Amino acid sequence: MKNVLLFLILFPACVDAQNLSKFVNPFIGTGGHGHTFPGATAPFGLCQLSPDTRVDGSWDGCGGYHYSDSVIYGFSHTHLSGTGVSDYGDILLMPVTKEMALDNYQYKSTFSHAKEKAEAGYYQVFLDDPKINVELTTSRRCGFHKYTFPENAEQYVVLDLAHRDEVLDSKMEQIDAHTIRGYRFSKAWATNQKVFYEIRFGNEIENIIYEPLKGGTKTTAINLSKSHRALIKLKIKNSEFNIAQLKVGISGVDENGAHNNLEKEIPHWDFDKTKKWVQDEWNQELSKIVVSEKNETHQQTQGDKKVIFYTALYHCMIAPNIYSDVDNRYRGRDDKIHNTEGKFDYYTVFSLWDTYRALHPLLTIIDKKRTNDFINTFIKQYEQGGRLPVWELSSNETNCMIGYHAVSVIWDAYNKGIRDYDAEKAFEAMKSIATEDIPGVQSYMKYGYVRAEDDHESVSKTLEYAYDDWCIAQMAKALGKEEDYKTFEKRSHNWINVYDPTTGFMRARKNSTLMEPFSPYLVDNNYTEANSWQYSFYVPHELDKLIEVSGGKEKFEEKLDALFVASTETMGRDQSDITGLIGQYAHGNEPSHHIAYLYHLLGKPERGNDIIKKIMNEFYTNSPDGLIGNEDCGQMSAWYVMNAMDIYPFCPGKMDYIYSGVELIHGKLVDSIENNIIGYDIRQNYNNGEADSII
């Protein structure tokens, strides 16, 4: 009997939560270049309470933690999951047992992975130097700390508002014997990030030593509000005197918001109760996709696969992060305070260049409600900030990466019947971002491609704008906007203007001519974190035309074969994102993620399945370096989850999925798919299960 795993996608009303969080290993991706963090967070939560082992924004420190490190500087309340640029690390706390200089190299501590544990919603570590055991858990917007000090030791907690990023403004104010409140405004990737906080201690505060201001000396003044660091001494209780607990509410709105979040979400002092709540939340979310084993053969292998799968699904539910408070207020893109009035939840952290490819299509299947909320958030960002998000972070537009892929998320959802938002306003926003007054878009509109002399990453921008324009055209057609449909449908063919029929590659043009010298191995400023090998297969919305201009299916297949057997060496600049190479296919970065499925569309699924199987078995493992590249806010893991379910959205925005029929562990990892959350049966699109069908 074949040994297979059975996946069921369940309706929310049918979800009977299982204890699936036991299969989550938050350490996956914390080594290598995964850039994940191991700390505690709720599904899509604002608070990500995790250890910080890096004090700078180095490449492998983007998530604040790297498994190769042996020193912890403290525990901060915001982190980014798998990004390639550093930010967050707000409101860092560190327990110590004595008075010391307010310098992170003084209060840091060594630690051992042997005395460290991470679960979904829970983190624990023993700090070697002060001999303190730290336990962390969270609600959606709040963190809960539990410190077990050595017996008879004094109890101090460092509060560091200067950790990592440049501080623009800060405040720390003691409100009463148990409470400190304030804010931290900082500049990094987000140039004006605002976090407000309230810290409530279970023990009374005995005194606070504040970091001296410039030219000053240490002081115990009650309200030295502009100091960036403080050392808080706690009074020791008579009972359980070696345990200290504290709770931290955070908000992007104001101090009252942080206070209200804490009052509403963690009104008690029962650490285990909060831990149980967040793990119940994780079990409920993870139970949307249920895996059952048909037999016990190769149980160890299957168990490992289940850990990889459920950790991947867990990573798909870290971001975007809820950004509205419990009273529905949020900070908009105009830096003003608004209120959703309970109509939707407002979110932040939209890594859209990455996540439009597989994460958002996955969420249209398993999370219709949040998908609606994301699009309502997009609309508000357009109304309050003047444009849809490109890479939005804490109400800041980072302008990182390319394309205007919010339009893909909107059209993909609308086409699947997810429409609890103002579709007319959404289309207005889609049309606006595709015609905005920036060099790349204006060059593209004028010439039909982005000229290399007008903007960087010209080839990649032309290709991705063309796909996004196809999405806008489909939305226009669905809304009965015929002239807009004609305009954007015509623009969707613009990819042909960077295609070179003599070489079969996508190439940059300058002064209306192809740039020389040219090599498809060259990594330069004309491509986004890639080269021409990787981008020459990116025409997801018009693949038939790409095959035609390439000389037909046979010639196109030869070129595809050449990609996967090409030398893994690249030329030009060093690009850390280009990892996970099979020939010049680079799974560690997003532009390659759809390419293996081209074989299925050519009627050669067995070749594509060999590659997919290799990727799934070798590039995703149950280890700290178990991700081949940046996690990128869920995209790297969403690729795995979708493939584990035997489907992939080759072109987001189409109702169709490619059914691969890939076989893993002596059989298909997926045996069947039942009902899904958006109310249509994915199986109705299967062509009798044929692996070579384009659906």
Side-chain angles (χ1 to χ4, degrees):
M1 179 178 180
K2 283 188 176 181
N3 180 41
V4 297
L5 300 185
L6 176 68
F7 282 67
L8 303 177
I9 305 179
L10 302 176
F11 285 107
C14 300
V15 171
D16 182 15
Q18 302 183 32
N19 183 23
L20 298 177
S21 62
K22 67 182 179 182
F23 295 110
V24 172
N25 176 9
F27 289 114
I28 292 178
T30 60
H33 303 302
H35 297 182
T36 63
F37 61 86
T41 187
F44 304 96
L46 175 64
C47 181
Q48 306 95 33
L49 180 50
S50 189
D52 288 84
T53 65
R54 302 272 170 115
V55 295
D56 58 17
S58 61
W59 170 246
D60 282 329
C62 289
Y65 176 102
H66 199 269
Y67 198 80
S68 64
D69 296 333
S70 59
V71 170
I72 287 176
Y73 294 93
F75 307 91
S76 61
H77 291 75
T78 59
H79 292 85
L80 292 172
S81 182
T83 60
V85 183
S86 172
D87 207 314
Y88 279 9
D90 298 289
I91 323 302
L92 182 134
L93 297 173
M94 181 66 164
V96 293
T97 57
K98 60 186 178 182
E99 184 177 330
M100 61 179 60
L102 289 168
D103 180 282
N104 47 34
Y105 288 97
Q106 295 294 318
Y107 59 71
K108 69 180 181 181
S109 174
T110 58
F111 75 104
S112 166
H113 294 307
K115 296 181 180 180
E116 183 186 34
K117 182 179 181 180
E119 302 172 355
Y122 173 76
Y123 175 84
Q124 173 272 324
V125 69
F126 183 79
L127 300 176
D128 295 333
D129 299 340
K131 294 180 169 48
I132 297 171
N133 190 61
V134 174
E135 296 177 82
L136 309 172
T137 192
T138 65
S139 64
R140 288 189 181 89
R141 303 168 180 87
C142 308
F144 203 147
H145 303 235
K146 182 179 180 180
Y147 306 146
T148 302
F149 287 83
E151 292 189 9
N152 302 317
E154 293 186 312
Q155 298 178 7
Y156 292 86
V157 178
V158 175
L159 168 59
D160 188 344
L161 302 182
H163 176 60
R164 285 172 70 97
D165 300 341
E166 177 186 349
V167 178
L168 302 177
D169 193 8
S170 70
K171 174 185 173 183
M172 55 177 71
E173 179 181 7
Q174 183 176 351
I175 303 301
D176 55 38
H178 292 269
T179 309
I180 294 175
R181 190 183 297 171
Y183 57 77
R184 181 201 196 212
F185 302 165
S186 60
K187 178 181 179 180
W189 196 9
T191 57
N192 186 23
Q193 185 205 355
K194 296 183 177 180
V195 179
F196 300 84
Y197 67 91
E198 178 168 302
I199 307 173
R200 199 168 303 165
F201 296 88
N203 298 3
E204 287 189 7
I205 298 170
E206 183 171 310
N207 64 63
I208 302 175
I209 298 175
Y210 294 92
E211 177 188 57
L213 298 178
K214 289 183 179 180
T217 58
K218 286 193 298 185
T219 176
T220 57
I222 292 298
N223 181 20
L224 188 59
S225 64
K226 294 302 178 183
S227 183
H228 295 333
R229 296 184 178 94
L231 183 64
I232 303 152
K233 185 175 184 181
L234 304 177
K235 292 182 179 180
I236 298 176
K237 289 183 176 180
N238 292 327
S239 62
E240 294 187 336
F241 59 86
N242 64 324
I243 294 179
Q245 295 191 142
L246 61 94
K247 303 178 293 187
V248 182
I250 61 173
S251 167
V253 175
D254 54 27
E255 293 173 42
N256 285 334
H259 172 81
N260 293 336
N261 290 342
L262 192 54
E263 285 285 305
K264 179 70 173 180
E265 293 189 349
I266 314 181
H268 53 80
W269 285 100
D270 189 335
F271 181 90
D272 291 337
K273 182 177 180 179
T274 299
K275 177 185 174 184
K276 182 180 184 304
W277 175 87
V278 71
Q279 294 194 327
D280 285 348
E281 288 287 301
W282 275 115
N283 285 325
Q284 189 74 20
E285 293 292 333
L286 296 171
S287 292
K288 289 177 177 177
I289 305 178
V290 178
V291 179
S292 61
E293 298 172 20
K294 282 194 170 181
N295 64 49
E296 300 303 318
T297 308
H298 304 283
Q299 184 175 8
Q300 182 176 0
T301 303
Q302 285 200 350
D304 211 39
K305 288 294 181 184
K306 288 178 75 171
V307 170
I308 295 168
F309 175 81
Y310 279 111
T311 304
L313 187 57
Y314 165 84
H315 280 142
C316 291
M317 298 172 173
I318 301 294
N321 308 123
I322 194 168
Y323 200 54
S324 49
D325 286 345
V326 294
D327 61 4
N328 301 312
R329 294 185 303 149
Y330 66 92
R331 183 174 298 277
R333 285 281 296 277
D334 55 3
D335 203 27
K336 296 178 181 177
I337 307 306
H338 304 272
N339 198 312
T340 70
E341 300 178 351
K343 296 178 181 178
F344 66 97
D345 291 324
Y346 188 91
Y347 283 82
T348 188
V349 184
F350 289 104
S351 181
L352 292 167
W353 182 80
D354 309 289
T355 56
Y356 86 89
R357 304 167 196 265
L359 177 67
H360 282 288
L362 172 65
L363 295 178
T364 65
I365 299 172
I366 65 172
D367 209 327
K368 176 180 178 181
K369 198 275 181 184
R370 283 194 177 89
T371 297
N372 274 310
D373 287 350
F374 298 155
I375 297 173
N376 276 302
T377 298
F378 291 171
I379 293 170
K380 290 302 179 185
Q381 293 200 1
Y382 165 67
E383 291 177 336
Q384 296 158 8
R387 72 187 301 215
L388 290 171
V390 174
W391 213 124
E392 181 272 347
L393 174 61
S394 292
S395 285
N396 287 244
E397 179 52 69
T398 67
N399 289 307
C400 187
M401 309 314 295
I402 65 169
Y404 28 91
H405 297 306
V407 306
S408 172
V409 177
I410 295 169
W411 166 242
D412 189 43
Y414 187 88
N415 196 32
K416 293 174 180 175
I418 301 174
R419 302 177 180 180
D420 190 13
Y421 47 85
D422 185 339
E424 291 288 339
K425 181 64 71 171
F427 180 76
E428 177 187 313
M430 295 165 77
K431 185 176 176 180
S432 174
I433 197 170
T435 55
E436 63 182 344
D437 188 18
I438 61 173
V441 172
Q442 290 301 307
S443 178
Y444 173 81
M445 291 173 63
K446 183 175 181 179
Y447 300 102
Y449 65 97
V450 179
R451 300 193 308 174
E453 63 263 44
D454 292 335
D455 207 6
H456 58 90
E457 299 167 281
S458 61
V459 177
S460 298
K461 286 180 177 177
T462 299
L463 295 170
E464 297 197 25
Y465 290 166
Y467 161 72
D468 287 335
D469 288 343
W470 174 85
C471 293
I472 299 172
Q474 304 314 303
M475 187 75 169
K477 186 175 182 180
L479 295 177
K481 300 179 183 297
E482 187 62 26
E483 289 305 311
D484 287 324
Y485 168 72
K486 291 178 181 178
T487 296
F488 286 98
E489 197 275 337
K490 181 180 179 181
R491 283 174 48 162
S492 73
H493 306 311
N494 281 344
W495 61 270
I496 196 68
N497 296 325
V498 292
Y499 178 76
D500 173 20
T502 61
T503 62
F505 287 96
M506 303 293 181
R507 296 178 58 182
R509 291 182 179 273
K510 187 174 183 180
N511 297 323
S512 301
T513 60
L514 294 169
M515 292 182 64
E516 297 286 357
F518 169 75
S519 169
Y521 294 88
L522 182 63
V523 178
D524 63 15
N525 203 37
N526 294 306
Y527 304 90
T528 303
E529 299 180 357
N531 59 27
S532 187
W533 264 122
Q534 291 136 29
Y535 259 103
S536 291
F537 296 93
Y538 184 85
V539 190
H541 61 292
E542 208 168 13
L543 181 63
D544 289 346
K545 183 66 175 177
L546 177 61
I547 292 173
E548 178 186 330
V549 299
S550 299
K553 285 188 175 183
E554 186 175 335
K555 290 290 186 182
F556 189 77
E557 184 181 349
E558 290 175 2
K559 181 182 173 185
L560 191 57
D561 289 340
L563 168 77
F564 286 103
V565 299
S567 168
T568 57
E569 298 296 321
T570 60
M571 300 168 57
R573 73 183 185 202
D574 180 52
Q575 187 71 51
S576 301
D577 306 85
I578 300 178
T579 57
L581 287 160
I582 305 174
Q584 280 294 305
Y585 172 93
H587 191 73
N589 210 23
E590 281 68 24
S592 291
H593 276 192
H594 68 292
I595 296 177
Y597 305 97
L598 291 169
Y599 282 109
H600 296 77
L601 306 184
L602 291 171
K604 301 292 180 68
E606 64 284 348
R607 176 66 176 127
N609 288 347
D610 286 344
I611 295 167
I612 294 167
K613 181 178 179 179
K614 178 180 177 67
I615 293 168
M616 294 184 77
N617 285 338
E618 297 181 14
F619 293 169
Y620 294 85
T621 61
N622 183 15
S623 62
D625 61 351
L627 295 174
I628 201 66
N630 297 168
E631 167 60 17
D632 284 322
C633 295
Q635 170 58 27
M636 193 65 63
S637 288
W639 187 97
Y640 186 90
V641 171
M642 294 295 278
N643 278 278
M645 297 192 301
D646 247 354
I647 57 176
Y648 194 76
F650 180 84
C651 181
K654 293 185 178 181
M655 289 287 283
D656 310 330
Y657 294 86
I658 291 178
Y659 170 65
S660 66
V662 65
E663 292 194 354
L664 296 169
I665 322 175
H666 307 283
K668 290 186 296 182
L669 188 56
V670 172
D671 184 63
S672 67
I673 301 174
E674 295 296 335
N675 299 315
N676 64 51
I677 199 170
I678 55 179
Y680 63 85
D681 191 341
I682 294 177
R683 291 176 301 174
Q684 72 185 0
N685 284 330
Y686 287 173
N687 183 15
N688 298 319
E690 293 296 324
D692 61 348
S693 61
I694 177 169
I695 307 165

